[in-house]
Amino acid sequence: MSWGTELWDQFDNLEKHTQWGIDILEKYIKFVKERTEIELSYAKQLRNLAKKYQPKKNSKEEEEYRYTACKAFLSTLNEMNDYAGQHEVISENMTSNITVELARYVQELKQERKSYFHDGRKAQQHIEICWKQLESSKRRFERDCKEADRAQQYFEKMDADINVTKADVEKARQQAQVRHQMAEDSKADYSSILQKFNHEQHEYYHTHIPNIFQKIQEMEERRIVRIGESMKTYAEVDRQVIPIIGKCLDEIVKAAESIDQKNDSQLVIEAYKSGFEPPGDIEFEDYTQPMKRTVSDNSLSNSREGKSELKFGGKSKGKLWPFIKKNKSPKQQKEPLSHRFNEFMTSKPKMHCFRSLKRGTQSFCFHKELMKRTIGKPTYAFEARDYVLSLKLGATPEDFSNLPPEQRRKKLQQKVDELNKEIQKEMDQRDAITKMKDVYLKNPQMGDPASLDHKLAEVSQNIEKLRLEAQKFEAWLAEVEGRLPARSEQGRRQSGMFDAQNPATVNSCAQDRESSPDGSYTEEQSQEGEVKVLATDFDDEFDEEEPLPAIGTCKALYTFEGQNEGTVSVVEGETLYVIEEDKGDGWTRIRRNEDEEGYVPTSYVEVYLDKNAKGAKTYI
């Protein structure tokens, strides 16, 4: 069915219908455009969501992502970024393949429609002009016929009247003939125009209008086909990204399946393992005996007798069971240094952790020994005092000795790895400078080789500094890992027997306990047996000391240049005598001969103690 034959008289309705079709197409374009905006907004929100939950760099959160569950979550966030990217692809493809293309097609469609209806209106105007010409010739022919009839009647009237002269009759006759001739001419003109109009009208209704309407019909059908193809494209754009979205979802599932609860549990052990041994069984304490109760070798608490021997002045608050949280106020660390030092010198020593228990050294005795060793010792002795003060004030020592053994090992290993990376980086830079210098030597026009000497020397100096630093941390790490027998195996062996050998020493760190109704332990406060240490107790410590006997030997692991007063220079591989073991400040007192003795860093030597020697103890 053709619009030209069936709708030849519906020009205005077709014009309205085609305009409606264009409006529908523009409405669809607007729909797709809004869909692209939604996709972009959704993709942006997904990216912001993924970014919001990304771990912050150089923060504690970044360390938490060692666990497989956190890694799976991080993979999910990354896949959500890719997921958001696919929605951006949908928006881009819909914009380029549908919105832009249809907008261009609508403009072409409007121009085409305008051209067709312009031709239709032009044909209408032409047929209307032909119709007007036909009507005009028809009216003229009608008027001329009427005038010829009146002239004929007037002639006949004049001819029948006997009173009219012959000349008047002849004049009337000639006038009638003229009118008849004019009527004949009008008739011929009217007939010609009528034939022309009929031809034009036939062409209009059977040729021009059908052709124009046929083109309009084809245009409308193309519009319908085009909108259908756009709808298919709309679906295909979504369908194209479905495999990629499915792959993102598959990766999320894969990440979820990669979660290993056993591995995460092992990471928790590595993160929080202290390396301490759990406390032994607590022996029964018989209060029915009149004698003073004995101290359990494996107990964390001690008798009042032991406490009275080393009580350092005044009463003290009860010590809680080690596994109960203590009420520590951070404001205490902000007190003046003088007040903290007075408290350090006058307060009763406290056991902060199992490590101080395993050391087997009374804090009070350590304080006295530290004061004694500052006389005639290098300036590093005062650094030991500052080290102790820094521990009380919350600072972190360089060797991480404030941490439990396992955590200290991890920190030292991490520091060694960082230093090795820095060394490798500097070495790469040195190699690059060396190659550049070689190029300058071969091609002087490219640069002056001497200009790189300063930079090369600076890099070499940095490498040497980093290597010394790495050796220091490697020595500490070796000490922790047990590669140094004198500081590891023997130390652990002695510390394991320490409770049985020195029960009285433990009394200075542990406190009396009594059972509370809730099952916890608190210190039994008592003033009985407390002995205040007088200032005269310190005076004896500063007297002239006798030459100390050798308690073992040591082997220098590294070369040490003792440039400060009280230190001794040693060469790698040299064997010397040990006259005083490390008391916890990182220095060992050694003797080369009768006249030469001093201190060397403990981490620079490997100590072999004589167990039978007097005063041979291991301080952990």
Side-chain angles (χ1 to χ4, degrees):
M1 302 297 290
S2 174
W3 287 7
T5 58
E6 301 295 332
L7 302 176
W8 59 270
D9 57 345
Q10 300 297 321
F11 185 88
D12 294 337
N13 288 332
L14 287 180
E15 187 176 15
K16 293 177 182 179
H17 177 77
T18 51
Q19 181 60 45
W20 171 82
I22 292 176
D23 293 341
I24 288 294
L25 191 57
E26 290 179 336
K27 183 183 292 186
Y28 180 74
I29 294 173
K30 186 177 181 182
F31 159 75
V32 176
K33 185 177 180 180
E34 291 184 3
R35 165 72 190 278
T36 59
E37 293 174 355
I38 291 173
E39 292 291 340
L40 282 177
S41 177
Y42 181 52
K44 183 178 180 181
Q45 291 178 8
L46 285 178
R47 289 191 183 278
N48 290 338
L49 179 65
K51 183 179 179 181
K52 178 181 179 182
Y53 287 94
Q54 285 281 353
K56 298 179 180 178
K57 293 184 178 180
N58 301 325
S59 67
K60 188 177 180 181
E61 287 185 8
E62 198 171 19
E63 298 180 1
E64 296 174 354
Y65 280 80
R66 298 174 300 164
Y67 300 98
T68 56
C70 295
K71 287 181 180 179
F73 179 49
L74 184 60
S75 298
T76 301
L77 295 178
N78 294 333
E79 293 301 329
M80 288 306 297
N81 269 326
D82 296 340
Y83 187 92
Q86 298 311 309
H87 285 278
E88 292 174 345
V89 170
I90 290 175
S91 176
E92 293 173 2
N93 290 342
M94 284 188 175
T95 299
S96 60
N97 298 339
I98 299 178
T99 305
V100 175
E101 292 295 329
L102 285 185
R104 186 184 302 113
Y105 176 71
V106 165
Q107 296 299 323
E108 296 174 356
L109 190 64
K110 287 181 178 180
Q111 292 294 330
E112 186 179 3
R113 174 182 174 275
K114 181 179 179 181
S115 174
Y116 292 152
F117 282 98
H118 176 72
D119 294 342
R121 289 192 182 91
K122 188 175 181 181
Q124 282 183 337
Q125 292 174 358
H126 178 70
I127 199 67
E128 287 177 359
I129 292 173
C130 292
W131 173 257
K132 290 179 180 179
Q133 290 177 352
L134 178 62
E135 287 293 322
S136 175
S137 63
K138 181 181 177 181
R139 286 193 298 269
R140 186 170 59 251
F141 172 61
E142 181 183 6
R143 184 178 62 252
D144 290 344
C145 288
K146 290 180 179 180
E147 290 293 333
D149 288 342
R150 282 196 298 268
Q152 184 64 30
Q153 291 176 1
Y154 179 75
F155 167 71
E156 291 177 353
K157 181 181 178 182
M158 291 294 290
D159 186 45
D161 190 357
I162 59 175
N163 296 321
V164 177
T165 63
K166 187 177 181 179
D168 292 335
V169 172
E170 186 62 24
K171 184 178 179 180
R173 185 180 65 77
Q174 290 178 356
Q175 187 67 28
Q177 289 178 350
V178 170
R179 292 294 180 185
H180 279 290
Q181 185 62 40
M182 291 177 61
E184 290 296 329
D185 293 340
S186 298
K187 180 180 179 181
D189 187 44
Y190 170 67
S191 177
S192 174
I193 292 176
L194 179 60
Q195 290 177 359
K196 181 180 178 181
F197 174 77
N198 289 332
H199 175 73
E200 292 293 339
Q201 181 175 259
H202 185 272
E203 290 292 325
Y204 174 78
Y205 288 110
H206 294 87
T207 303
H208 298 308
I209 290 298
N211 289 338
I212 293 173
F213 282 11
Q214 183 64 31
K215 291 178 181 178
I216 294 174
Q217 181 181 357
E218 292 174 356
M219 176 193 72
E220 186 69 9
E221 289 175 353
R222 287 199 307 272
R223 178 192 65 81
I224 296 171
V225 171
R226 189 62 177 269
I227 197 172
E229 292 175 350
S230 298
M231 289 179 180
K232 288 182 181 179
T233 304
Y234 179 88
E236 286 299 323
V237 167
D238 265 342
R239 195 188 304 276
Q240 288 173 0
V241 301
I242 286 178
I244 304 177
I245 292 177
K247 187 176 180 180
C248 294
L249 299 178
D250 291 340
E251 290 296 325
I252 293 175
V253 173
K254 184 178 179 181
E257 292 174 349
S258 67
I259 295 176
D260 186 356
Q261 67 275 12
K262 298 296 183 182
N263 182 72
D264 286 1
S265 299
Q266 184 63 32
L267 289 177
V268 174
I269 293 175
E270 294 177 1
Y272 301 110
K273 181 180 178 182
S274 65
F276 295 133
E277 296 292 334
D281 295 338
I282 300 175
E283 293 185 0
F284 176 77
E285 299 178 5
D286 191 357
Y287 287 93
T288 61
Q289 300 295 330
M291 65 183 66
K292 294 182 180 180
R293 54 184 175 142
T294 59
V295 180
S296 172
D297 289 342
N298 297 325
S299 174
L300 289 174
S301 65
N302 305 97
S303 67
R304 296 174 188 170
E305 180 181 358
K307 182 171 66 175
S308 63
E309 293 176 359
L310 296 173
K311 206 67 157 178
F312 197 20
K315 300 180 182 179
S316 177
K317 280 191 173 182
K319 179 67 66 176
L320 299 177
W321 177 247
F323 298 109
I324 298 177
K325 292 183 179 179
K326 304 172 185 177
N327 184 17
K328 294 183 179 181
S329 173
K331 294 182 180 179
Q332 295 176 357
Q333 298 181 0
K334 297 182 180 179
E335 296 178 358
L337 180 62
S338 60
H339 178 72
R340 301 293 298 172
F341 184 75
N342 291 335
E343 181 185 357
F344 172 76
M345 296 302 297
T346 59
S347 63
K348 179 178 62 177
K350 299 181 180 180
M351 180 184 69
H352 293 282
C353 62
F354 283 111
R355 183 177 183 181
S356 60
L357 179 64
K358 292 179 68 178
R359 283 184 181 274
T361 306
Q362 300 138 347
S363 300
F364 170 65
C365 296
F366 172 72
H367 300 161
K368 293 174 62 181
E369 192 66 28
L370 181 62
M371 293 179 65
K372 178 185 71 175
R373 292 169 67 178
T374 56
I375 305 301
K377 188 179 176 179
T379 56
Y380 294 100
F382 296 97
E383 295 179 4
R385 179 198 63 191
D386 297 336
Y387 169 79
V388 176
L389 286 176
S390 66
L391 289 181
K392 292 187 70 65
L393 295 175
T396 302
E398 185 181 12
D399 62 349
F400 305 106
S401 58
N402 62 318
L403 298 176
E406 186 66 22
Q407 301 302 318
R408 183 187 180 195
R409 182 192 66 79
K410 290 177 61 178
K411 287 289 186 181
L412 290 172
Q413 184 64 54
Q414 182 181 357
K415 188 69 177 178
V416 169
D417 294 341
E418 291 176 358
L419 289 172
N420 288 334
K421 289 181 181 179
E422 290 294 328
I423 291 173
Q424 186 61 41
K425 184 178 178 180
E426 293 291 336
M427 291 177 67
D428 293 341
Q429 186 176 359
R430 182 184 63 183
D431 294 342
I433 296 174
T434 304
K435 291 180 181 179
M436 187 179 296
K437 185 176 181 180
D438 293 339
V439 173
Y440 287 175
L441 289 173
K442 294 178 181 178
N443 302 285
Q445 66 275 10
M446 296 182 66
D448 182 13
S451 63
L452 300 176
D453 292 341
H454 176 71
K455 183 65 176 177
L456 192 61
E458 181 180 352
V459 173
S460 300
Q461 187 177 4
N462 292 340
I463 293 175
E464 188 63 27
K465 289 180 180 178
L466 289 172
R467 281 178 176 170
L468 292 175
E469 189 76 8
Q471 289 177 0
K472 179 174 64 175
F473 280 95
E474 286 174 356
W476 285 332
L477 181 61
E479 178 184 351
V480 174
E481 291 181 343
R483 294 203 296 264
L484 299 178
R487 299 292 296 166
S488 58
E489 296 176 359
Q490 184 177 356
R492 284 196 296 269
R493 194 163 52 246
Q494 292 184 7
S495 64
M497 300 183 294
F498 180 76
D499 290 338
Q501 295 175 354
N502 301 282
T505 308
V506 182
N507 292 335
S508 66
C509 295
Q511 308 275 334
D512 289 333
R513 292 170 296 156
E514 62 180 3
S515 177
S516 60
D518 58 354
S520 63
Y521 291 89
T522 58
E523 179 187 25
E524 179 184 4
Q525 297 181 359
S526 175
Q527 300 179 4
E528 297 178 3
E530 291 186 358
V531 178
K532 295 184 179 180
V533 180
L534 301 177
T536 55
D537 293 341
F538 292 98
D539 297 338
D540 298 336
E541 304 296 340
F542 297 101
D543 295 336
E544 293 287 335
E545 295 188 29
E546 295 293 331
L548 296 175
I551 60 175
T553 60
C554 66
K555 181 180 179 181
L557 299 174
Y558 314 103
T559 300
F560 171 73
E561 296 181 1
Q563 298 178 353
N564 296 81
E565 182 182 358
T567 60
V568 177
S569 299
V570 295
V571 182
E572 181 180 353
E574 184 180 3
T575 302
L576 307 109
Y577 293 101
V578 177
I579 59 176
E580 186 177 340
E581 231 246 300
D582 184 5
K583 297 295 184 65
D585 59 353
W587 292 89
T588 299
R589 192 171 180 181
I590 57 98
R591 178 187 295 136
R592 179 177 283 109
N593 49 49
E594 294 182 358
D595 299 330
E596 187 176 5
E597 65 178 40
Y599 291 91
V600 295
T602 304
S603 58
Y604 277 60
V605 295
E606 186 174 3
V607 180
Y608 306 96
L609 294 179
D610 184 0
K611 296 183 180 179
N612 297 324
K614 183 179 179 181
K617 292 184 180 180
T618 300
Y619 295 86
I620 300 176

